[in-house]
């Protein structure tokens, strides 16, 4: 049987190695996973309790409109309930946008390297991909603007960006939005919004009233610690969402996900605590990089990309894997001599940094 020819050029998304697989492969009892940017502090106790209550209703379909969660998010963000589109993770919102707007006669503009699913879904729809290289880890907004034409349907801004952790500041974003044609949708992916602490990190929700061609993507998978439940959302003007809503699958967010997300959004104390711990964790890595003169991008996320210059990311990945620590090699992320590490607990960060220190010592002796 024949499938779309563009599928033949793609490979399935490859997540970080599962903990159980690593334990079995290397005969380990303890494994630390710092590969998928999950919250090392778990999720809100309120979310856990909400899930327990919801398990009594597993025979019932979820609310396809996610009414209770919709009200909670709308109140929290101070937007209309009709301005929210829920997805099975923000990944599905990306898929819905591509499915709704892209065809073989259109194009989409994005940075590179950035989150892989923008390109992945655009390829499936047969659209032309226009990738603009990062400059010093940052989106080159001027070049991205130059790449937009009458057939550009979506321009993607991942801020903070995965895998660099960098962001587009308030002034640069405002200038960019003013220059993008109204016929092009600007999708700002803020999956790591809750971790951002930069003073000039933009508050984008208020911009929705000014720019009808803007959608903001967020998720409960990262800081909220609900990655297993898969619930994300997009915020945009009502007219746009009404047009693309038919591309959303029915019952695409589960009862458990909706209940946990409702409870989580009410527990901002938990989010604030996680943000503070994450900031301290990042400093552990910054100090290590300064000590060993390693290049890195200051991060507004819960991960850090570190360039080890003379060493392949794959080599460091394999070295740490044998020690029971799972990270991501930068090789598949567009940074072959780098590794991306999720910021863990203070103890987890200390352990991985000790191993990295040993790695550098061992290779310095051999050189």
């Amino acid at each position: 049987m024949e499938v779309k020819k563009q599928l033949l050029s793609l490979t399935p998304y490859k997540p970080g190695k599962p903990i159980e697989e690593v334990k079995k492969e290397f005969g380990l009892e303890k494994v630390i996973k710092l590969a998928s940017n999950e919250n090392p502090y778990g999720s809100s106790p309120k979310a856990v309790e909400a899930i327990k209550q919801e398990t009594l209703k597993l025979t019932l379909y979820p609310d396809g409109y996610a009414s209770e969660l919709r009200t909670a998010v709308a109140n929290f963000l101070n937007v209309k309930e009709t301005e929210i589109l829920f997805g099975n993770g923000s990944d599905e919102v990306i898929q819905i946008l591509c499915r709704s707007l892209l065809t073989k006669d259109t194009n989409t503009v994005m940075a590179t390297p950035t989150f892989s699913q923008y390109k992945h879904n655009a390829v499936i729809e047969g659209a032309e991909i226009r990738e603009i290289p990062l400059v010093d880890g940052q989106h080159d907004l001027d070049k991205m603007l130059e790449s937009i034409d009458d057939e550009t349907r979506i321009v993607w801004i991942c801020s903070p960006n995965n895998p660099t952790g960098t962001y587009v500041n308030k002034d640069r974003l405002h200038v960019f939005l003013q220059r993008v044609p109204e016929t092009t949708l600007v999708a700002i992916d803020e999956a790591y919004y809750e971790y951002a602490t930069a003073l000039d990190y933009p508050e984008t929700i208020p911009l929705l009233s000014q720019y009808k061609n803007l959608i903001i993507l967020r998720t409960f998978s990262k800081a909220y610690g609900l990655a297993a439940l898969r619930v994300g959302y997009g915020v945009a003007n009502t007219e746009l969402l009404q047009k693309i809503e038919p591309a959303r699958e029915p019952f695409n967010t589960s009862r458990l996900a909706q209940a946990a997300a409702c409870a989580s959004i009410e527990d901002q104390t938990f989010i604030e605590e996680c943000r503070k711990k994450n900031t301290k964790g990042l400093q552990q890595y910054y100090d290590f990089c300064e000590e060993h003169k390693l290049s890195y991008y200051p991060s507004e996320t819960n991960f850090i990309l570190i360039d080890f210059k003379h060493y392949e990311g794959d080599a460091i990945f394999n070295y740490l894997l044998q020690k029971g620590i799972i990270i991501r090699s930068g090789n598949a992320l567009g940074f072959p001599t780098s590794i991306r590490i999720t910021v863990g607990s203070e103890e987890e960060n200390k352990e991985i940094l000790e191993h990295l220190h040993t790695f550098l010592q061992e290779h310095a002796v051999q050189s």
Side-chain angles (χ1 to χ4, degrees):
M1 298 181 69
E2 291 189 7
V3 299
K4 286 183 176 181
K5 63 180 182 180
Q6 52 266 39
L7 286 175
L8 302 178
S9 66
L10 296 172
T11 56
Y13 179 79
K14 187 177 181 181
K17 268 183 168 287
I19 291 175
E20 292 307 318
E21 180 182 325
V22 175
K23 284 184 177 180
K24 183 177 180 180
E25 182 178 351
F26 295 100
L28 300 169
E29 293 185 3
K30 172 191 172 186
V31 169
I32 299 173
K33 185 184 177 188
L34 298 175
S36 301
N37 307 333
E38 295 146 332
N39 189 337
Y41 304 107
S43 49
S44 166
K46 294 182 179 180
V48 176
E49 184 57 36
I51 292 170
K52 290 179 181 177
Q53 296 299 319
E54 208 63 26
T55 57
L56 302 175
K57 307 172 186 177
L58 296 183
T59 59
L60 303 176
Y61 281 106
D63 174 5
Y65 193 61
S67 301
E68 186 177 350
L69 178 58
R70 184 177 299 275
T71 299
V73 173
N75 289 340
F76 181 70
L77 298 179
N78 194 28
V79 300
K80 298 176 183 176
E81 293 187 11
T82 55
E83 294 177 325
I84 304 170
L85 173 71
F86 288 103
N88 187 252
S90 55
D91 291 16
E92 191 193 20
V93 180
I94 293 168
Q95 182 186 59
I96 291 170
L97 292 176
C98 291
R99 188 177 184 183
S100 302
L101 299 175
L102 299 180
T103 68
K104 63 181 179 60
D105 300 316
T106 64
N107 68 74
T108 180
V109 176
M110 64 196 69
T112 186
T114 192
F115 186 49
S116 61
Q117 294 305 291
Y118 314 143
K119 181 177 181 178
H120 185 93
N121 284 285
V123 168
I124 291 174
E125 300 305 327
E128 178 191 350
I129 317 294
R130 297 182 177 179
E131 297 181 282
I132 310 303
L134 299 173
V135 176
D136 295 328
Q138 298 277 352
H139 283 63
D140 188 343
L141 297 183
D142 289 336
K143 287 289 179 62
M144 293 177 75
L145 281 166
E146 292 174 8
S147 300
I148 296 173
D149 61 22
D150 292 342
E151 304 307 321
T152 305
R153 294 294 177 265
I154 310 175
V155 56
W156 303 91
I157 296 179
C158 189
S159 179
N161 186 47
N162 184 2
T164 58
T166 55
Y167 69 105
V168 176
N169 69 29
K170 183 191 307 181
D171 292 341
R172 293 178 67 224
L173 180 62
H174 287 190
V175 171
F176 181 79
L177 290 173
Q178 289 168 7
R179 296 173 62 189
V180 175
E182 294 180 358
T183 53
T184 298
L185 179 69
V186 179
I188 303 180
D189 188 346
E190 296 183 339
Y192 298 92
Y193 167 82
E194 288 80 12
Y195 286 115
T197 60
L199 296 178
D200 59 349
Y201 184 84
E203 285 296 338
T204 49
I205 296 296
L207 298 176
L208 291 169
S209 60
Q210 185 177 352
Y211 299 100
K212 302 301 181 185
N213 62 330
L214 175 63
I215 186 167
I216 299 156
L217 311 184
R218 292 185 184 172
T219 182
F220 285 91
S221 294
K222 302 304 181 185
Y224 286 97
L226 301 179
L229 297 179
R230 314 304 301 125
V231 55
Y233 59 94
V235 190
N237 77 81
T238 300
E239 182 181 358
L240 170 65
L241 296 188
Q242 285 178 337
K243 290 179 179 177
I244 67 175
E245 177 74 18
R248 180 182 66 82
E249 295 294 330
F251 310 119
N252 63 330
T253 55
S254 71
R255 296 191 70 91
L256 299 182
Q258 291 179 28
C262 279
S264 294
I265 209 164
E266 295 175 359
D267 193 357
Q268 291 302 308
T269 299
F270 173 78
I271 296 298
E272 179 61 27
E273 290 174 353
C274 290
R275 180 164 46 241
K276 289 179 179 178
K277 291 175 181 177
N278 184 72
T279 299
K280 290 181 179 179
L282 281 170
Q283 191 61 52
Q284 289 178 266
Y285 289 97
Y286 296 160
D287 291 344
F288 174 83
C289 290
E290 296 297 334
E291 177 186 352
H292 293 280
K293 297 181 172 55
L294 298 174
S295 300
Y296 66 95
Y297 296 113
S299 177
E300 294 298 318
T301 68
N302 69 330
F303 63 80
I304 184 169
L305 186 73
I306 303 175
D307 188 353
F308 280 75
K309 300 177 183 177
H310 307 297
Y311 310 108
E312 289 292 320
D314 285 354
I316 304 171
F317 167 83
N318 289 320
Y319 177 86
L320 291 174
L321 198 61
Q322 296 175 50
K323 308 295 183 183
I325 299 176
I326 311 171
I327 54 138
R328 287 298 293 269
S329 168
N331 194 48
L333 304 174
F335 295 89
T337 59
S338 297
I339 58 172
R340 193 193 70 186
I341 308 171
T342 301
V343 177
S345 66
E346 182 178 357
E347 295 75 20
E348 290 172 335
N349 298 332
K350 182 179 179 181
E351 183 169 340
I352 187 175
L353 290 173
E354 287 174 351
H355 286 304
L356 288 174
H357 177 78
T358 301
F359 173 88
L360 291 172
Q361 280 188 324
E362 290 176 353
H363 285 74
V365 170
Q366 294 173 5
S367 62

